[in-house]
Amino acid sequence: MSEQVYQLSEHTDTTVFYGVNNRNLQLIKDLNPDVRIVARGHAVKLAGSEASVQQLIGALEKLEQYVLANNTLTEEHIIALLRDGNRPADLTFEHLILHGVNGKSILARTENQRKLVRDFDDNDLLFAIGPAGSGKTYTAIALAVRALKNREVRRIILSRPAVEAGEKLGFLPGDMKEKIDPYLQPLYDALQDMITPAKLRDYLEGGTIQIAPLAFMRGRTLSDAVVILDEAQNTTVPQIKMFLTRMGLNTKMIVTGDVTQIDLPASQRSGLIDALDTLRGVKGIARVDFDMRDIVRHRLVQRIVEAYERKKEQRPQPSREGKGPADNDNEYDNIR
């Protein structure tokens, strides 16, 4: 057991370093459960194994340098350094995808997000597979917006299958567009971070950005575009085949999905799992598997996903007729 005190510089603003209501300090504790951390004023007392304490001291030094240089420290900065091993300052420049609304930096924050960025340049079709909150869709949309702003393509097309996760589409009020919009809201949310409201409205009204359910894709040829299919685990085999064969000239497609959240009837096989199996090894297609380390939402999201994974591992798999979510998960494991 080693006990050491890390002394912050007198020039370091402890309110910034520890965060409002000590939120930053609590996150540092959460990310280092094997080290006991007590902070008073500019002194941070650490107790734990020699290796863990020394590693944390090195991280605190880098966080403090960032605070002194920028007078800010967020959960994203802390996670970037303590969990992913990146200096916050490096993230600002090296991993920048584009500048969003009000100059917000849209970054590839994890290694798998950065792999998706790299693979986007070298492949025309990408599969991004992983749990909720890992940044699959957000990073994909950022790449599409960057390509549009750089005039590499003329339009962005975003689609999702309209499959209910417990609710019924017919019970929602309004016309067809109003019924579909709730399914597409996550795509709108991402776009609103990257494009100003007036410009986004112009893009949507003029067709530069098109958001449509998968059923509206049949018969189209999608050229000179970045096309994103979100929640692809809820496509059927014919649907995803139809979607993938819409690709035209100068078009890139990104297919995102989470095979642990399949909402199809038990008798239907997920089109995403079938496509991953069928297209394995095809030149020009890349696949990025995100995991719990990529989760960049509230830190509780990672704990929630981990808890459900533990429960799934402990639960015996029932024998079922047909293909349901549990069977699809096993299929996916076999083709990784």
Side-chain angles (χ1 to χ4, degrees):
M1 176 70 70
S2 173
E3 291 190 5
Q4 296 192 44
V5 175
Y6 179 76
Q7 192 70 36
L8 295 169
S9 165
E10 62 180 288
H11 302 294
T12 300
D13 187 333
T14 55
T15 302
V16 174
F17 189 85
Y18 296 141
V20 177
N21 297 323
N22 288 330
R23 290 185 63 179
N24 291 345
L25 180 62
Q26 185 59 51
L27 177 57
I28 293 171
K29 291 180 178 180
D30 291 344
L31 293 173
N32 295 271
D34 55 340
V35 179
R36 184 170 179 268
I37 304 172
V38 179
R40 290 186 179 178
H42 284 69
V44 184
K45 185 177 180 180
L46 310 173
S49 69
E50 179 72 25
S52 297
V53 168
Q54 289 302 322
Q55 182 178 7
L56 182 53
I57 286 176
L60 292 176
E61 289 175 346
K62 293 174 182 178
L63 288 175
E64 184 180 17
Q65 291 169 7
Y66 188 80
V67 170
L68 289 170
N70 300 279
N71 196 37
T72 186
L73 187 64
T74 67
E75 290 188 8
E76 288 82 1
H77 296 142
I78 296 169
I79 290 172
L81 178 64
L82 299 190
R83 194 178 70 189
D84 302 331
N86 299 299
R87 290 177 57 86
D90 294 338
L91 273 176
T92 304
F93 302 103
E94 181 182 352
H95 306 304
L96 178 71
I97 301 176
L98 77 157
H99 290 292
V101 176
N102 297 323
K104 177 181 179 180
S105 297
I106 309 298
L107 308 170
R109 297 187 178 278
T110 71
E111 180 54 40
N112 282 322
Q113 290 180 14
R114 293 189 283 276
K115 185 177 187 302
L116 186 63
V117 173
R118 293 192 298 270
D119 287 348
F120 181 79
D121 294 331
D122 301 327
N123 300 273
D124 291 334
L125 174 59
L126 297 92
F127 288 93
I129 315 299
S134 54
K136 310 179 301 295
T137 302
Y138 196 85
T139 304
I141 292 178
L143 290 168
V145 172
R146 185 183 70 178
L148 181 66
K149 288 185 174 182
N150 291 343
R151 299 184 179 181
E152 297 167 10
V153 296
R154 290 191 301 107
R155 56 184 177 162
I156 297 171
I157 301 171
L158 308 174
S159 183
R160 300 180 86 184
V163 174
E164 299 90 345
E167 301 84 12
K168 294 298 181 183
L169 185 64
F171 295 154
L172 295 174
D175 58 20
M176 180 56 71
K177 181 182 183 302
E178 291 170 328
K179 288 175 183 288
I180 290 168
D181 273 352
Y183 293 91
L184 305 178
Q185 191 58 49
L187 307 181
Y188 289 117
D189 291 343
L191 287 169
Q192 288 165 359
D193 271 358
M194 304 172 197
I195 303 173
T196 60
K199 193 68 174 176
L200 179 57
R201 185 170 56 251
D202 289 344
Y203 280 157
L204 290 169
E205 291 176 355
T208 300
I209 296 179
Q210 300 173 23
I211 303 180
L214 184 60
F216 291 4
M217 292 292 182
R218 187 171 298 279
R220 301 182 64 184
T221 299
L222 309 176
S223 301
D224 205 14
V226 177
V227 187
I228 298 172
L229 175 61
D230 192 33
E231 299 289 346
Q233 76 275 3
N234 288 328
T235 61
T236 64
V237 174
Q239 282 177 332
I240 201 164
K241 179 182 177 183
M242 178 273 293
F243 172 81
L244 295 175
T245 54
R246 302 305 95 199
M247 183 182 289
L249 298 176
N250 191 37
T251 289
K252 289 180 179 284
M253 285 185 166
I254 306 177
V255 178
T256 71
D258 177 2
V259 296
T260 68
Q261 296 191 33
I262 297 174
D263 300 312
L264 292 170
S267 60
Q268 289 186 321
R269 188 186 191 202
S270 167
L272 176 59
I273 290 178
D274 186 80
L276 291 170
D277 190 13
T278 303
L279 301 176
R280 180 171 45 187
V282 175
K283 186 176 180 181
I285 299 176
R287 168 176 167 174
V288 181
D289 285 293
F290 291 73
D291 56 37
M292 287 179 286
R293 292 170 297 178
D294 297 298
I295 293 176
V296 292
R297 292 180 183 168
H298 193 287
R299 58 183 179 271
L300 270 179
V301 174
Q302 183 174 7
R303 299 176 195 166
I304 290 168
V305 172
E306 289 172 344
Y308 274 97
E309 284 297 313
R310 287 194 299 272
K311 183 177 180 180
K312 176 185 169 185
E313 290 171 0
Q314 295 167 1
R315 184 177 67 240
Q317 295 292 329
S319 176
R320 303 176 52 176
E321 294 294 330
K323 301 289 186 181
D327 300 300
N328 279 329
D329 290 351
N330 293 335
E331 280 188 278
Y332 175 72
D333 291 338
N334 293 331
I335 62 174
R336 299 184 80 158

